[in-house]
Each structure stands twice: as C-alpha cells, then as structure tokens.
Amino acid sequence: METLPTTTVSSCKSERRGRSSKYQNTSKPSVIMAFFSCVAWLYVAGRLWQDSENRVILNNMLKKNYDQKPKVLTVDDKLMVLGCKDLERKIVETEMELTLAKSQGYLKSLPSSGKSLLAVIGVYTGFGSHLRRNSFRGSWMPQGDALKKLEERGVVIRFVIGRSPNRGDSLDRKIDEEDRARKDFLILENHEEAQEELPKKVKFFFSAAVQNWDAEFYIKVDDNIDLDLEGLIGLLESRRGQDASYIGCMKSGEVVAQEGGQWYEPEWWKFGDEKSYFRHAAGSLIILSKNLAQYININSGSLKTYAFDDTSIGSWMIGVQATYIDDNRLCCSSIRQDKVCSVA
C-alpha cells in the first residue's frame, strides 16, 4: 500500500487552520457592527417612540386649547349645525308681525279688570287747583257712590297730577290726603308737576291710564272746561269698535316763532318755511282709541314733545295709521247747542 505524501496532509491541515483563523478574524467586526446596528436601532426606535409620545401630548394640548378657544362660525354655519333654518324664518316673520303690532298699538299684557271699560277720562289739575276740583265735583263730575256707579257703567274719571319737584313736601302730602278722602286721583309718580314739564305730562297720563285700565277710549281733559258728561258718553258709544281713532276739534295754524309771544314754539324751525302746524286735535279735549293710547305707552321713551301737548300728540299721530275724526261737538268754544264741552 502506498502512503500519501506527507506534504499533502500537512498542507490540508495548514489550509484548515488558515480558514479557521480567517473566519475568526472576519467574525469580530461583524459582531461589532451588529452590536452597533442594534444600538442604533434601539436609539432610533427610542427617538421615534419619544417623538410619538410628544406628538400625542402636543395633540392633546392643541385639542384642549381648541376646545377652550371660542369657535368663530358664520351665522349660516351655526344655523346649519343647529338645524335652525326654519326657526330663522319664523323669527323674521315674528319680528315683522311684532313691528306691525307695535305700530298698531299692540300691548303684550293688559290690566286684568274684568270687562272692558268704555272710557278713562283724565282731568288735568295742579297743586293750586283745589277750589276748581271742588267746583267740578259739585257740577258735572260725580263723587262718592255716584262715581262708583259711573264706573259700573264703564266710565272712569280721575284728576291727573304729578309729583312736586321737592318730592314728599307739603304739596305732595296735601294731594295724598285729598286722594285718600276722595279717591278720584291718578297720581303720576314719574312726572314732575311743573309748567315747563307740562308737554310731557300727556305721555305719562296715557301710559298710566293704559297700564291701570282696559278701555276703548282714553281722554285727556283740561281743567278750564265743563263737560256734558252724558253727551260725551253718547258720542263715545257711537264710536265703539273704531280702532285707531284720533278724535277732537281738528285744526292747524301758524307756528309762533317770536320768543315771548303767546303760544311760542322754541322749535318753530322744524315746521318748515311756512311755519304752519300740521292737522291736530287742538284745545282742551282729546280722545284716543285704545291702540293709539297703547302706542304712546309702548313708545313713550322715544316720542318727541314740543311746547304744547296737543301739537305733540298730533306729531305722534302722523307716524301711525290713525283715523282723524274732526267732531265740532268737541270744540269747546263753538256755538253749537249739542257740544259736549264749554269753557269754564
């Protein structure tokens, strides 16, 4: 048997040792690279996780701030979200109806006093008019039980007066005492009874009358006339159911622009170059139907007054759908036999 050459065996062993050494030499960098790759991966993963956590925190903060921040939406957006398009239409229609109702003297609530009265008659008076009041009580104006019976017929009569500029003084106390004894006053708590405030008194009167009594007519009467009470009641009965009635002795005339003259109007320049008053119920007796009196009550805070109450009322009636009724029986200085008032 032949033997293998020793050199061949030796060379094989030498080759295996070389390969093993080579593999050992090349595996060390691989392990190191793998280790660093793992570390890098962990670092990147950690950063990604940290970034994700930061994004979650930031998103929560933004969402919280967004929820707390008032949202700016258009009206259309709000209506779309709430589904209120139909409600918007109804609101507009209601506002239009309310505007129309106000122009017609609509009042949200009326005094609850049972059946409606025919009329509330307010007789202007002042602190120094005690004797004149007694004169009226002894002539055309009922008193005591007769006054109550008249109210049962649907007619209320009251003397109308404001408060003293020095509220609570002897003037006020005397009126309060007289009212407790007679029970025939309508005291205007918010009105100052003074000559310069007289044009404003009519607003307070109609407002107070509407708030205290539900009647078909409200009547302002000066204390310089005598009334034919039954004649006036008959006139009012014939006008029942006539809404927006503005009744009186109608006239117009020159606006006095000269200071110091009788019937001087400080704001004369507002009446045009002709300086002429518009048509209005003049004199000492003015009648308004319920809805016109209610109109004054609702809008009293914005109604302009002039130097005289009759022209002031006339200016208010221009702006509404009032029916002007010129009745000569209400011209107290006329010579008609059937007139319902006469100069006292």
Side-chain angles (χ1 to χ4, degrees):
M1 178 180 297
E2 294 180 0
T3 62
L4 295 171
T6 59
T7 56
T8 302
V9 174
S10 298
S11 63
C12 288
K13 292 180 177 180
S14 176
E15 183 179 353
R16 283 196 297 270
R17 284 195 300 268
R19 288 178 181 173
S20 174
S21 176
K22 181 178 179 181
Y23 291 151
Q24 290 176 357
N25 291 335
T26 58
S27 64
K28 289 181 181 179
S30 298
V31 170
I32 294 173
M33 289 297 295
F35 173 76
F36 281 112
S37 296
C38 183
V39 171
W41 182 88
L42 290 175
Y43 173 77
V44 172
R47 286 301 301 269
L48 291 174
W49 178 85
Q50 185 65 40
D51 289 346
S52 176
E53 287 294 310
N54 290 339
R55 283 195 296 272
V56 170
I57 294 172
L58 181 60
N59 183 60
N60 290 336
M61 291 177 64
L62 291 174
K63 183 178 180 181
K64 183 177 180 181
N65 291 336
Y66 179 78
D67 290 339
Q68 293 177 348
K69 182 180 178 181
K71 296 177 176 61
V72 180
L73 298 174
T74 66
V75 174
D76 286 338
D77 290 334
K78 292 178 181 178
L79 293 174
M80 186 178 296
V81 171
L82 298 175
C84 290
K85 286 290 186 181
D86 186 56
L87 179 60
E88 179 192 26
R89 177 182 58 79
K90 291 180 179 179
I91 290 173
V92 172
E93 290 176 355
T94 302
E95 288 177 345
M96 293 174 65
E97 291 174 359
L98 180 59
T99 300
L100 177 61
K102 282 188 175 182
S103 70
Q104 295 176 347
Y106 171 80
L107 189 63
K108 182 170 62 176
S109 61
L110 290 172
S112 178
S113 58
K115 67 177 183 178
S116 177
L117 300 168
L118 173 64
V120 175
I121 302 173
V123 182
Y124 274 24
T125 190
F127 293 116
S129 301
H130 178 73
L131 294 177
R132 182 166 290 183
R133 289 193 294 271
N134 282 341
S135 174
F136 289 166
R137 292 181 182 120
S139 57
W140 63 267
M141 181 175 174
Q143 54 183 318
D145 291 339
L147 187 63
K148 292 181 181 178
K149 289 181 180 180
L150 182 65
E151 292 180 9
E152 292 173 0
R153 291 178 57 191
V155 178
V156 171
I157 304 177
R158 292 291 187 271
F159 288 112
V160 182
I161 192 169
R163 285 301 188 182
S164 169
N166 301 313
R167 184 174 287 266
D169 62 6
S170 60
L171 296 175
D172 279 347
R173 291 195 296 271
K174 287 180 179 179
I175 292 296
D176 290 336
E177 292 172 4
E178 188 177 346
D179 185 36
R180 282 192 292 269
R182 299 287 190 169
K183 294 181 173 54
D184 57 3
F185 278 87
L186 173 59
I187 300 175
L188 307 176
E189 296 291 344
N190 296 323
H191 173 66
E192 183 178 297
E193 193 68 32
Q195 184 63 35
E196 61 274 16
E197 298 295 324
L198 190 59
K200 298 178 183 178
K201 185 174 181 176
V202 71
K203 291 199 297 185
F204 288 101
F205 161 61
F206 281 117
S207 293
V210 165
Q211 292 166 19
N212 282 279
W213 297 282
D214 179 17
E216 290 218 25
F217 299 99
Y218 298 86
I219 306 167
K220 172 257 177 184
V221 177
D222 285 344
D223 65 352
N224 61 348
I225 62 171
D226 288 321
L227 281 181
D228 173 6
L229 188 56
E230 290 301 323
L232 179 60
I233 292 174
L235 184 152
L236 297 174
E237 289 283 4
S238 69
R239 297 291 183 182
R240 272 189 181 273
Q242 296 182 2
D243 291 339
S245 294
Y246 174 36
I247 310 171
C249 179
M250 297 290 174
K251 72 172 187 179
S252 58
E254 181 184 358
V255 178
V256 178
Q258 184 177 357
E259 187 173 358
Q262 189 180 19
W263 314 118
Y264 169 62
E265 173 55 69
E267 298 186 74
W268 55 266
W269 54 274
K270 290 185 177 180
F271 295 88
D273 295 336
E274 299 298 324
K275 299 184 182 65
S276 179
Y277 281 119
F278 36 75
R279 198 77 168 165
H280 63 280
S284 301
L285 201 160
I286 300 172
I287 303 172
L288 297 180
S289 62
K290 178 195 295 186
N291 57 343
L292 295 182
Q294 290 172 344
Y295 171 80
I296 294 174
N297 176 42
I298 293 169
N299 299 283
S300 60
S302 58
L303 292 176
K304 165 70 178 174
T305 55
Y306 292 96
F308 308 103
D309 56 4
D310 56 354
T311 54
S312 295
I313 295 174
S315 70
W316 306 335
M317 295 301 103
I318 290 176
V320 297
Q321 296 292 333
T323 300
Y324 285 59
I325 300 175
D326 183 14
D327 196 321
N328 289 335
R329 289 174 293 176
L330 302 176
C331 298
C332 303
S333 59
S334 73
I335 60 175
R336 284 187 59 155
Q337 296 298 314
D338 60 346
K339 65 183 179 180
V340 301
C341 61
S342 59
V343 178

